[in-house]
């Protein structure tokens, strides 16, 4: 941040440059030296606007769609189906679908091959204790997260994974630079591609037969 002539700093100035007063405010922000985390977030947002993955090494492979959280990358059910059927196999070493729903939802129907990681500690144990690395540097490891609707649990887990991954490295290095959220979640995917689900069914989170399980997992998630 102290390097006034860095590419990121210059890019930021170009984006916000306007009236002399506005430019003065930008310079004032530099002089005030905001916290390191704030700077890193600003830099990451600027670079992500060019559709680069989390370590800024390359562009995202999968086509993205607009989602609720502009800070995350969303893919459509159709794109996930294309990944599952090998349309991107030339570029992907391994794609991991993380189902963030509760176990009773997962057992009632899930995307084939998806791993059920409903709690933050599950994600840390599965993905960060022994990170999954591609033996071929030209191929990618991508993570696709979802919940029932991909409105709360899936996006929140995506943010948690990126935060914990960042804490393991010198910025901007990451184990998993390419994270996606499945737009519409399992519900939308199931209705569009039931043949990719097993069992071929959909059990909602608020199913009346699983109220006690819901209560327990909500408590454990806090």
């Amino acid at each position: 941040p102290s390097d006034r002539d860095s590419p990121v700093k210059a890019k930021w100035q170009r984006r916000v440059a306007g009236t002399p007063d506005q430019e003065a405010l930008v310079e004032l922000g530099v002089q005030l030296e905001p916290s390191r985390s704030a700077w890193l977030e600003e830099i990451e947002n600027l670079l992500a606007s060019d559709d680069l993955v989390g370590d800024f090494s390359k562009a995202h492979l999968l086509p993205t769609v607009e989602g609720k959280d502009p800070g995350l990358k969303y893919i459509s059910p159709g794109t996930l189906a294309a990944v599952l059927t090998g349309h991107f196999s030339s570029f992907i070493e391994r794609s991991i679908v993380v189902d963030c729903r509760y176990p009773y939802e997962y057992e009632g129907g899930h995307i084939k091959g998806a791993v059920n990681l409903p709690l933050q500690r599950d994600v840390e144990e599965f993905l960060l204790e022994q990170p999954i690395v591609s033996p071929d540097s030209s191929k990618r490891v991508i993570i696709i997260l979802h919940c029932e609707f991909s409105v709360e649990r899936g996006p929140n887990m995506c943010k948690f994974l990126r935060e914990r991954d960042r804490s393991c490295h010198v910025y901007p290095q990451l184990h998993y630079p390419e994270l996606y959220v499945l737009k519409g979640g399992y519900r939308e995917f199931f209705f569009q591609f039931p043949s990719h689900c097993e069992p071929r069914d959909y059990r909602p989170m608020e199913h009346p037969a699983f109220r006690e399980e819901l209560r327990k997992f909500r408590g454990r998630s806090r």
Side-chain angles (χ1 to χ4, degrees), residues 19 43 49 57 81 169 199 216:
T19 67
I43 292 170
S49 66
S57 61
H169 295 88
K216 290 179 180 178

Side-chain angles (χ1 to χ4, degrees), residues 52-111:
L52 299 177
V53 297
D55 62 1
F56 317 132
S57 61
K58 58 180 73 71
H60 283 83
L61 173 65
L62 304 182
T64 57
V65 294
E66 185 176 352
K68 180 181 179 181
D69 190 328
L72 301 176
K73 296 297 181 182
Y74 292 80
I75 62 170
S76 69
T79 296
L80 177 53
V83 171
L84 296 175
T85 53
H87 282 68
F88 296 91
S89 59
S90 297
F91 307 97
I92 296 176
E93 175 68 28
R94 184 173 176 186
S95 58
I96 303 162
V97 179
V98 176
D99 190 330
C100 302
R101 296 176 302 155
Y102 302 137
Y104 67 88
E105 298 173 83
Y106 177 87
E107 292 163 4
H110 58 268
I111 297 168

Side-chain angles (χ1 to χ4, degrees), residues 80-214:
L80 177 53
V83 171
L84 296 175
T85 53
H87 282 68
F88 296 91
S89 59
S90 297
F91 307 97
I92 296 176
E93 175 68 28
R94 184 173 176 186
S95 58
I96 303 162
V97 179
V98 176
D99 190 330
C100 302
R101 296 176 302 155
Y102 302 137
Y104 67 88
E105 298 173 83
Y106 177 87
E107 292 163 4
H110 58 268
I111 297 168
K112 291 179 180 178
V115 58
N116 187 211
L117 305 176
L119 302 176
Q120 291 180 350
R121 66 170 178 267
D122 298 328
V123 167
E124 288 189 284
E125 291 173 0
F126 187 85
L127 293 173
L128 295 176
E129 287 190 358
Q130 292 186 322
I132 300 165
V133 180
S134 172
D136 183 347
S137 60
S138 68
K139 289 193 171 186
R140 313 180 187 208
V141 174
I142 67 171
I143 311 292
I144 302 165
L145 302 98
H146 75 86
C147 54
E148 184 176 4
F149 304 105
S150 288
V151 171
E152 184 175 350
R153 291 175 289 175
N156 287 345
M157 195 68 82
C158 186
K159 293 177 184 178
F160 171 77
L161 174 57
R162 174 54 53 80
E163 177 186 343
R164 296 296 299 133
D165 200 353
R166 282 266 185 245
S167 71
C168 300
H169 295 88
V170 175
Y171 187 87
Q173 297 174 355
L174 290 165
H175 289 307
Y176 306 107
E178 200 155 356
L179 305 180
Y180 299 96
V181 174
L182 173 62
K183 187 172 182 179
Y186 179 76
R187 182 182 186 278
E188 187 63 30
F189 186 87
F190 171 73
F191 286 127
Q192 291 190 33
F193 301 98
S195 63
H196 285 294
C197 302
E198 60 181 8
R200 195 175 294 191
D201 203 356
Y202 162 45
R203 180 178 293 164
M205 181 183 73
E206 296 188 351
H207 193 291
F210 296 90
R211 289 175 181 170
E212 184 62 22
E213 286 85 348
L214 173 59

